[in-house]
Amino acid sequence: AISTEDLLKSLDSGLHGDLRKQLTALTKEAPLRADRNTVKAERAEREVAYQEAAKEIQKWQPQVDFNRNADQVVLGPVGEVTMNTGDLVESFEPENDFETELQQ
């Protein structure tokens, strides 16, 4: 981290004298404190967001428990997909003018 002393050391007093004086004055002032109401409001917002996220996660808990206890987890459809591109082309129904034009 760079401190204000490091910045002051890097300034040449002849060329940047005014800037050096301003930075020196700033280092002597007390830092600004955060507004307590803002901090409390942000904390309350985070707490509400956490509660909403926890509530949303609870709806998935039965599925998570089932998958944890299962010997094997199957992701995706059960069975083989038997449709090929020929079947897709034959079953295509145009829904607008553009698709009708493409089909011809």
Side-chain angles (χ1 to χ4, degrees), residues 8-63:
L8 290 172
K9 288 177 187 175
S10 67
L11 292 176
D12 187 326
S13 61
L15 299 174
H16 306 288
D18 292 337
L19 183 59
R20 186 180 178 102
K21 288 178 187 176
Q22 289 176 358
L23 285 175
T24 306
L26 284 176
T27 59
K28 292 179 181 177
E29 293 180 12
L32 297 175
R33 294 177 55 190
D35 186 18
R36 287 187 176 184
N37 292 332
T38 305
V39 172
K40 287 181 180 179
E42 290 173 353
R43 184 179 298 147
E45 287 176 19
R46 288 192 307 268
E47 185 175 342
V48 169
Y50 174 80
Q51 290 172 354
E52 289 176 4
K55 188 179 193 182
E56 183 73 20
I57 289 171
Q58 286 300 317
K59 72 178 185 180
W60 295 102
Q61 195 60 43
Q63 183 65 35

Side-chain angles (χ1 to χ4, degrees), residues 1-2 15 17 23 25 28-29 39 43 48 56 60-61 65 68-69 72 75-76 80 82 84 87 90:
I2 298 175
L15 299 174
L23 285 175
K28 292 179 181 177
E29 293 180 12
V39 172
R43 184 179 298 147
V48 169
E56 183 73 20
W60 295 102
Q61 195 60 43
D65 291 339
R68 282 186 181 156
N69 295 329
Q72 182 178 6
L75 303 175
E80 222 174 282
T82 59
N84 59 29
D87 295 337
E90 289 176 12

